[in-house]
Amino acid sequence: MIKKFTYNNPFETYATVLNIEESKSDLLYFSKTENTFTYNMTDTTVVYGLGEAVRGINKRGWIYDGYCSDDPCHTEDKRSLYGAHNFLIIDDKANGGDRFGVFFDYPARITFDIGYTDTNTLLVSTEKNDIDVYIVEGETLREIVKNFRAIIGMSYIAPKWAFGFMQSRWSYFTKDDVVRIADSYNDARVPLDAIFLDI
């Protein structure tokens, strides 16, 4: 099941492909005050998501910003990387708790404090109060992901060569550098389908 909750006048991001009617009920799972959404976790709640982000699979214990830049220094103290993917799965079903996904369709700075300031509190803060929030339910994690993908559309399937073996590095400065790398793979009889000039 998917429910959409709209606040004020959200900017059209075109991030969704399904036309879901706004729910007239109260927001599920979260409490809301002005520009902040709050969810109370338990000690065993696992939080997945956010796409390209530093740290582990369970996002608890850190603050993440959905406001990204091309920062080449990928250290664990960073709060964002290249892409803002404002989708989370909250899972505590194994201990009798909640299991659901939530997508914050919001194009500006959004901050996810996932148990950093308060161990068992998930705080999602936006600069303005103009946002669409989608609650995505399902019996399993797979079903939640499947329902979310129905909202945003199917992924692009890359061409066959893109599934091959590739060499990638930032700092090939000349054409000769690239040719030398390709030749070294050929000499070592290691298949190579592509060379990227950046990560």
Side-chain angles (χ1 to χ4, degrees):
M1 179 177 69
I2 302 164
K3 287 199 169 185
K4 175 182 178 182
F5 302 88
T6 299
Y7 299 94
N8 294 330
N9 188 24
F11 180 83
E12 178 56 65
T13 64
Y14 301 100
T16 61
V17 297
L18 282 185
N19 184 15
I20 298 173
E21 291 294 319
E22 179 185 345
S23 177
K24 300 302 179 198
S25 65
D26 290 336
L27 179 64
L28 302 172
Y29 303 106
F30 288 85
S31 60
K32 182 176 185 325
T33 57
E34 196 56 30
N35 300 349
T36 303
F37 299 85
T38 305
Y39 176 76
N40 295 316
M41 301 183 289
T42 70
D43 289 338
T44 56
T45 303
V46 177
V47 180
Y48 303 105
L50 298 181
E52 293 180 275
V54 295
R55 306 181 79 80
I57 291 174
N58 186 355
K59 299 303 176 190
R60 286 189 71 156
W62 195 243
I63 297 174
Y64 303 88
D65 285 326
Y67 193 77
C68 304
S69 65
D70 188 2
D71 182 349
C73 188
H74 300 189
T75 58
E76 281 201 19
D77 64 335
K78 301 297 178 174
R79 292 185 173 188
S80 64
L81 283 180
Y82 296 118
H85 307 280
N86 301 333
F87 176 66
L88 296 172
I89 294 178
I90 287 93
D91 185 17
D92 198 23
K93 196 70 164 182
N95 296 295
D98 298 323
R99 176 181 285 156
F100 66 95
V102 57
F103 174 50
F104 297 91
D105 190 1
Y106 185 73
R109 184 183 295 267
I110 183 169
T111 302
F112 300 87
D113 180 337
I114 307 175
Y116 182 80
T117 303
D118 180 344
T119 303
N120 285 331
T121 303
L122 168 74
L123 293 172
V124 181
S125 305
T126 57
E127 290 182 327
K128 295 187 177 180
N129 193 22
D130 301 300
I131 187 170
D132 284 323
V133 178
Y134 295 82
I135 298 294
V136 184
E137 295 181 313
E139 286 299 312
T140 64
L141 298 176
R142 183 182 183 122
E143 188 177 334
I144 291 168
V145 170
K146 185 178 178 182
N147 289 342
F148 172 61
R149 290 193 50 179
I151 297 171
I152 63 168
M154 299 303 287
S155 300
Y156 162 75
I157 304 266
K160 269 188 177 180
W161 67 265
F163 293 99
F165 188 74
M166 300 175 201
Q167 169 64 35
S168 171
R169 180 185 171 124
W170 177 81
S171 74
Y172 293 134
F173 295 108
T174 68
K175 174 184 165 188
D176 291 339
D177 289 341
V178 177
V179 170
R180 183 179 45 77
I181 294 297
D183 288 344
S184 68
Y185 273 86
N186 194 32
D187 292 345
R189 301 179 61 106
V190 175
L192 183 64
D193 295 288
I195 297 177
F196 289 96
L197 305 184
D198 197 353
I199 59 171

